[in-house]
Amino acid sequence: RRYWSGGIVFLIFGLFLAFCFYIWFSRISFSAFLLLTAIDVSKTYGHVYMVSWLGVILGACFGLWYSVTLFSIYALYQSSSNNPNLTVCGCSNGKVIFLIVFTTFSMYWISEVFKNVIYTTIAGVYGSLYFCVNNFPQAATVRLKPQGRTVLVPFFLSLIVSIINFLRHIFSVARHSALGMSTLSHTFLFCILSCLFALLDWAGSFLNQYAFGHIGLYGKAN
């Protein structure tokens, strides 16, 4: 009864949401138009759906492969007396850590490549519509050169973002570990590093969107 603080908080949130709805209401029609246009383009060029579903299937298979690989590393190289491969494979904790780090980094890199290639392919379609609305190409698709540095751009840019994400993950794990050991200074340091790499991740992803959009439109990196 008379829980005024909770009521005031919910009232503030309610007023804020009402204000957001008021300033966003005029944009609903434009958003609906963009959604209908995107659906029409996807229906006309069916390979947009094909590429999207192919990316979903590949991503799911790759996630399953990553999980099985981690389990296999623990089962095969764990330094334990119950491991039958202890004397055969040279099992050690260092080897387990190295393989987990390598596998996790590879997961970040390959998943970024999948995401960026799919984005580049679809961006070629919608970008052509945006810039050539009165002369839309009959076979709009990504125009990646089979040879040259353009093909390597998604791999290189994905590598940069993967390194940032990987270091961000390491600092996040270190921060939680330091928090569990009640070391305030280390926790504060890793928290700052995590925030810094989160900003770098946002900046890298933001710039990559324009870079891959440019490749999807013109088929070249410059």
Side-chain angles (χ1 to χ4, degrees), residues 3 24 40 55 67-68 71 77 112 131 140 156 166 202 207 209:
Y3 190 58
W24 292 340
D40 291 338
S67 301
V68 172
F71 177 79
Y77 296 104
E112 280 291 326
F131 290 105
F156 177 71
F166 183 69
W202 172 83
L207 295 176
Q209 286 184 352

Side-chain angles (χ1 to χ4, degrees), residues 60-70 103 106-107 110:
C61 294
F62 183 70
L64 180 62
W65 172 83
Y66 174 70
S67 301
V68 172
T69 302
L70 284 184
T103 305
S106 300
M107 182 271 297
I110 297 175

Side-chain angles (χ1 to χ4, degrees), residues 150-208:
T150 303
V151 180
L152 301 178
V153 171
F155 295 92
F156 177 71
L157 295 180
S158 299
L159 176 62
I160 296 176
V161 176
S162 300
I163 293 174
I164 295 174
N165 283 327
F166 183 69
L167 293 177
R168 179 185 175 187
H169 178 71
I170 290 178
F171 291 138
S172 178
V173 172
R175 177 169 57 88
H176 288 290
S177 178
L179 185 62
M181 293 185 295
S182 300
T183 53
L184 184 60
S185 59
H186 292 171
T187 303
F188 182 72
L189 175 62
F190 289 126
C191 183
I192 293 178
L193 291 175
S194 298
C195 294
L196 176 62
F197 276 87
L199 291 175
L200 290 176
D201 179 32
W202 172 83
S205 300
F206 179 78
L207 295 176
N208 279 353

Side-chain angles (χ1 to χ4, degrees), residues 7 9 14 22 30-31 33 43 68-69 92 106 126 130 134 159-160 164 180 184 207 214:
V9 171
Y22 173 76
F30 179 68
S31 300
F33 172 75
K43 289 180 179 179
V68 172
T69 302
S92 64
S106 300
Y126 290 99
Y130 183 83
N134 296 321
L159 176 62
I160 296 176
I164 295 174
L184 184 60
L207 295 176
H214 187 278

Side-chain angles (χ1 to χ4, degrees), residues 21-159:
F21 177 78
Y22 173 76
I23 62 177
W24 292 340
F25 183 77
S26 59
R27 306 178 185 178
I28 293 178
S29 58
F30 179 68
S31 300
F33 172 75
L34 291 180
L35 179 60
L36 292 175
T37 303
I39 294 174
D40 291 338
V41 173
S42 300
K43 289 180 179 179
T44 305
Y45 299 93
H47 69 280
V48 172
Y49 289 122
M50 181 188 68
V51 171
S52 301
W53 278 109
L54 182 62
V56 171
I57 295 173
L58 289 177
C61 294
F62 183 70
L64 180 62
W65 172 83
Y66 174 70
S67 301
V68 172
T69 302
L70 284 184
F71 177 79
S72 302
I73 290 173
Y74 275 110
L76 187 61
Y77 296 104
Q78 185 179 11
S79 179
S80 174
S81 58
N82 297 325
N83 188 358
N85 301 313
L86 183 61
T87 58
V88 179
C89 299
C91 303
S92 64
N93 292 330
K95 182 176 290 187
V96 171
I97 294 174
F98 171 77
L99 291 175
I100 290 176
V101 169
F102 176 77
T103 305
T104 303
F105 176 75
S106 300
M107 182 271 297
Y108 276 117
W109 190 10
I110 297 175
S111 61
E112 280 291 326
V113 171
F114 283 164
K115 181 185 70 175
N116 292 328
V117 169
I118 293 171
Y119 173 80
T120 306
T121 304
I122 297 177
V125 178
Y126 290 99
S128 299
L129 173 69
Y130 183 83
F131 290 105
C132 306
V133 62
N134 296 321
N135 187 21
F136 191 64
Q138 296 299 318
T141 184
V142 62
R143 295 184 291 274
L144 285 176
K145 296 179 181 179
Q147 296 179 353
R149 62 181 179 178
T150 303
V151 180
L152 301 178
V153 171
F155 295 92
F156 177 71
L157 295 180
S158 299
L159 176 62

